[in-house]
Amino acid sequence: IFIHSNSDGHRMQIDIDATVTSDAEIGDIIFRNAGDSVAAIQVFREGANDAANMRFSTQAASGSMSERMRIDSAGNVGIGTSSPANLIHIDGNLTGNGDVMGLLVESAQGSANSTRMFLGARYNSDAGERKAIIKVEKGTTGTTEGDLLLDVANVGIGTASPTAKLSILQAAADG
């Protein structure tokens, strides 16, 4: 490990230098609390000497270290998957009734001007349903501006229970 300033003397640089010729760990940074490892960033050779992936791991309370996110040598980011197939690949295990997972994009969190967009999936084991969800909300009360709900057979706009190939439900107009 080399810790030094660069040639212009204005910034610090940390070099972890290794010689790994097969797909194995090149180096890692481990974060510990009271001697217990709680998070890590690891770099592994990936298929060639000039290619690597970066893995981010954390530990839940009373658990063990688990990989949570990976950036592969192509720049694909995987959350919940160790082999991301796209630029951003999120994979979750929806097994319980009402389980929801996905991507939430939010601006001005907690303010009256906040806007949220959710893109994800929901599983309802009671009904045997797996649905894709696109939801847009505004303000602190979560007023729904538009829902687009997709399941295997039906598409719903403004409804969480599409009953036909295309179901559109318009809310009653305000006063």
Side-chain angles (χ1 to χ4, degrees):
I1 296 179
F2 304 100
I3 301 175
H4 57 89
S5 61
N6 67 352
S7 59
D8 65 11
H10 291 103
R11 64 180 174 97
M12 293 298 294
Q13 181 172 328
I14 299 173
D15 292 335
I16 299 175
D17 193 1
T19 303
V20 178
T21 56
S22 61
D23 290 353
E25 186 175 355
I26 295 171
D28 59 0
I29 300 171
I30 299 174
F31 300 86
R32 298 180 190 280
N33 185 29
D36 189 15
S37 58
V38 295
I41 301 171
Q42 301 167 296
V43 176
F44 282 75
R45 181 185 183 275
E46 187 176 78
N49 285 338
D50 61 352
N53 65 57
M54 185 174 281
R55 304 171 187 185
F56 297 82
S57 301
T58 61
Q59 175 178 306
S62 301
S64 59
M65 293 281 282
S66 296
E67 182 179 334
R68 308 297 183 185
M69 183 176 78
R70 180 180 297 202
I71 303 172
D72 70 12
S73 61
N76 294 331
V77 176
I79 299 172
T81 178
S82 60
S83 51
N86 295 293
L87 187 56
I88 297 178
H89 183 162
I90 301 171
D91 192 2
N93 187 14
L94 301 178
T95 57
N97 191 31
D99 278 0
V100 177
M101 56 84 46
L103 177 66
L104 177 66
V105 178
E106 184 169 17
S107 69
Q109 180 179 12
S111 79
N113 296 323
S114 69
T115 301
R116 293 177 292 284
M117 182 187 80
F118 178 77
L119 173 64
R122 178 176 63 208
Y123 178 63
N124 180 342
S125 60
D126 293 340
E129 298 173 325
R130 294 182 186 272
K131 295 184 178 183
I133 303 167
I134 300 172
K135 190 172 194 169
V136 178
E137 298 177 334
K138 72 173 190 175
T140 56
T141 60
T143 304
T144 300
E145 283 296 297
D147 286 345
L148 173 60
L149 184 68
L150 307 172
D151 66 20
V152 177
N154 301 327
V155 175
I157 299 175
T159 177
S161 303
T163 58
K165 294 290 181 194
L166 177 61
S167 295
I168 301 174
L169 177 65
Q170 181 174 350
D174 291 334

